[in-house]
């Protein structure tokens, strides 16, 4: 599950975010505890806790004292909005800049993308 490209706690956070986006984790659904997560993936509990803390800070998870961590009611929409913004910034804007450099117009891009469906 984990690779060497980024810290494990970030990979934990990204995995949970992907589960929320895909619908595998629903709003107000309880997630594994940090200790369960650490035992399941055989990682340090502090590493799991750091990933979960990041998700709490970002508003993806919330804590119920004495019960555990849950998916925030608006987590999916927050994540979708952030991913859409990142998609345009990291994918579309550079693509359009390159298209302009090589003389490809937006109309041609739209026709090409429309034909790819």
């Amino acid at each position: 599950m984990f690779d060497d490209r980024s810290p494990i706690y970030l990979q934990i956070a990204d995995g949970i975010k992907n589960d929320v986006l895909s619908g595998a984790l629903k709003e107000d659904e309880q997630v594994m505890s940090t200790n369960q997560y650490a035992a399941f993936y055989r990682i340090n509990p502090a590493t799991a806790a750091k990933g979960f803390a990041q998700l709490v800070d970002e508003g993806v998870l919330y804590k119920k004292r004495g019960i555990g961590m849950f998916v925030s009611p608006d987590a999916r929409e927050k994540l979708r909005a952030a991913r859409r913004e990142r998609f345009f910034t990291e994918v579309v804007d550079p693509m359009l800049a390159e298209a302009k450099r090589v003389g490809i117009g937006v109309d041609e891009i739209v026709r090409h993308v429309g034909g790819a469906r």
Side-chain angles (χ1 to χ4, degrees), residues 98-116:
E98 179 64 14
K100 185 176 180 180
R101 280 191 289 274
V102 299
I104 300 172
V106 174
D107 291 343
E108 187 176 350
I109 293 169
V110 170
R111 276 194 311 276
H112 182 78
V113 171

Side-chain angles (χ1 to χ4, degrees), residues 23-31 61-62 69-72:
L25 286 173
K26 308 274 188 249
E27 295 179 353
D28 293 312
E29 183 175 342
Q30 187 170 12
V31 297
L61 298 180
Y62 67 94
M69 297 276 207
F70 295 80
V71 177
S72 297

Side-chain angles (χ1 to χ4, degrees), residues 4-23:
D4 293 334
R5 288 181 276 153
S6 65
I8 292 174
Y9 79 94
L10 291 177
Q11 293 179 59
I12 290 167
D14 286 343
I16 292 172
K17 287 177 186 178
N18 287 335
D19 287 346
V20 171
L21 278 169
S22 73

Side-chain angles (χ1 to χ4, degrees), residues 14-111:
D14 286 343
I16 292 172
K17 287 177 186 178
N18 287 335
D19 287 346
V20 171
L21 278 169
S22 73
L25 286 173
K26 308 274 188 249
E27 295 179 353
D28 293 312
E29 183 175 342
Q30 187 170 12
V31 297
M32 281 192 281
S33 73
T34 55
N35 287 333
Q36 290 171 322
Y37 202 91
F40 185 81
Y41 290 107
R42 297 179 180 201
I43 60 171
N44 187 316
T47 301
K50 190 171 181 179
F52 278 54
Q54 178 177 330
L55 294 169
V56 170
D57 291 345
E58 292 177 11
V60 175
L61 298 180
Y62 67 94
K63 298 177 192 179
K64 284 187 180 178
R65 189 178 179 129
I67 299 174
M69 297 276 207
F70 295 80
V71 177
S72 297
D74 58 350
R76 188 168 191 218
E77 271 313 304
K78 277 185 182 179
L79 290 170
R80 290 181 86 191
R83 291 268 178 105
R84 282 192 297 265
E85 185 176 322
R86 192 171 82 200
F87 174 77
F88 283 106
T89 301
E90 295 179 4
V91 178
V92 175
D93 294 346
M95 179 202 63
L96 290 173
E98 179 64 14
K100 185 176 180 180
R101 280 191 289 274
V102 299
I104 300 172
V106 174
D107 291 343
E108 187 176 350
I109 293 169
V110 170
R111 276 194 311 276

